[in-house]
Amino acid sequence: MDERTPPARKHGLTAIDGALALIALLLIVQMWLLTATLDSYLAGHHEVVLPAAIISGVLFLICAALYLFVRRIDAEARNVREEMTRSGHPPV
Amino acid sequence: MKLFRPTGSEPLWKDEFSIHIADERYVSRRQFTKFLVLTSLGMFAGNAWILVRSCFSKTPAYSEKNICSANDVPIGGVWLFRYPTENDPCILIRPDEDTYVAYSQKCTHLSCAVYYAREKNRLECPCHEGYFSIRNGDVLQGPPPRPLPRVALERRGDIIVAVRIETRKET
């Protein structure tokens, strides 16, 4: 992006990067949670299975919400580009 | 198409390649985000699967099984048997005159067969040097994550009888 890129698009890309980093972090936690739950289950600790499933579900919902956020930002960025194209100043 | 482009106009490649680099960044990030979220769904599905397995798992009912005569096992000796099914190898150990202990012979790491190291009075897994206590099956050393499942024994006259499997949790 050069200086002709509108600030809204730059901010949008930054927001998407932030959401992406957060999703990656939550995914790492989910991976750890799954392996720890499986290990505990095989060891006979059945009491940890339900809380782990609930927490994993909550993490997934957060990831899904962040994805919807990314989609919204993306849609806004596309609208900006289309408006600029219509006005005869397409972004780089 | 003009042979010469006027000075100050957009370069030729921008006419021929009308791809917006910034948009490409948006699209690749969006696709990657979607991939990560689907992976997150997979992780949740895995946890849910474990939950379902846990809800529908039943406590197994063990049948009793005569293993051997008490005198069949010498002091410091072992007796191999299978319990509760033919696919579950177990090892009975007589460390001293009146003590009989039995454990599953499958190492809790990768299911190698453990053996009794008499001189060190412990069960050893030869694959990755996992050692287990003869007293309660606890892990003494190595990669095994859990103690060995213990076979509960009863002595009825001269006969050693296996009555159930005791799966102990980590301490």
Side-chain angles (χ1 to χ4, degrees):
Chain A
M1 279 185 280
D2 66 3
E3 65 278 357
R4 287 194 302 162
T5 304
R9 289 174 60 81
K10 287 180 183 174
H11 294 162
L13 208 54
T14 306
I16 287 177
D17 283 344
L20 201 55
L22 200 54
I23 288 173
L25 194 67
L26 294 176
L27 192 58
I28 290 169
V29 174
Q30 266 193 310
M31 286 178 182
W32 171 83
L33 190 64
L34 179 62
T35 52
T37 307
L38 185 60
D39 190 56
S40 296
Y41 170 71
L42 293 176
H45 289 278
H46 290 214
E47 68 275 7
V48 302
V49 171
L50 179 60
I54 291 171
I55 292 170
S56 185
V58 169
L59 292 175
F60 165 67
L61 289 177
I62 295 172
C63 285
L66 285 168
Y67 174 64
L68 293 177
F69 170 74
V70 167
R71 276 188 60 172
R72 188 166 62 83
I73 297 285
D74 180 52
E76 286 174 4
R78 268 181 290 173
N79 288 339
V80 168
R81 185 179 69 77
E82 284 168 9
E83 284 174 14
M84 292 180 74
T85 305
R86 272 200 297 270
S87 65
H89 298 91
V92 176
Chain B
M1 185 178 165
K2 295 177 183 175
L3 190 57
F4 299 103
R5 296 177 66 79
T7 311
S9 65
E10 292 287 340
L12 177 62
W13 65 268
K14 281 195 177 179
D15 284 344
E16 295 179 341
F17 254 109
S18 58
I19 293 175
H20 301 292
I21 301 298
D23 284 352
E24 189 185 333
R25 287 176 185 160
Y26 268 98
V27 171
S28 60
R29 278 165 172 75
R30 192 180 65 214
Q31 293 296 331
F32 188 52
T33 308
K34 186 187 284 184
F35 168 75
L36 290 184
V37 173
L38 287 175
T39 309
S40 171
L41 177 62
M43 296 291 129
F44 172 56
N47 269 100
W49 176 75
I50 294 173
L51 178 63
V52 170
R53 284 287 303 261
S54 175
C55 289
F56 288 100
S57 66
K58 299 172 186 171
T59 306
Y62 296 108
S63 59
E64 295 182 353
K65 182 179 181 181
N66 292 349
I67 299 175
C68 61
S69 168
N71 295 325
D72 287 342
V73 189
I75 296 171
V78 300
W79 185 272
L80 300 180
F81 63 103
R82 292 176 182 273
Y83 182 79
T85 71
E86 286 301 306
N87 296 322
D88 301 304
C90 298
I91 183 169
L92 171 71
I93 306 149
R94 186 181 183 186
D96 55 53
E97 177 72 31
D98 297 321
T99 307
Y100 294 85
V101 288
Y103 297 97
S104 167
Q105 210 184 1
K106 285 183 186 173
C107 177
T108 53
H109 179 218
L110 291 175
S111 298
C112 292
V114 298
Y115 67 91
Y116 177 50
R118 185 178 178 182
E119 66 281 2
K120 293 176 182 170
N121 197 35
R122 67 188 179 197
L123 288 159
E124 295 187 0
C125 176
C127 293
H128 302 98
E129 297 188 348
Y131 301 155
F132 300 90
S133 165
I134 205 75
R135 190 171 56 84
N136 51 16
D138 277 350
V139 179
L140 300 175
Q141 174 191 303
R146 293 178 291 279
L148 283 176
R150 182 172 184 158
V151 181
L153 301 174
E154 284 183 10
R155 186 167 176 175
R156 293 175 187 164
D158 195 36
I159 303 296
I160 307 290
V161 182
V163 290
R164 66 181 177 280
I165 297 283
E166 297 172 342
T167 305
R168 291 178 54 249
K169 297 167 182 175
E170 306 101 303
T171 52

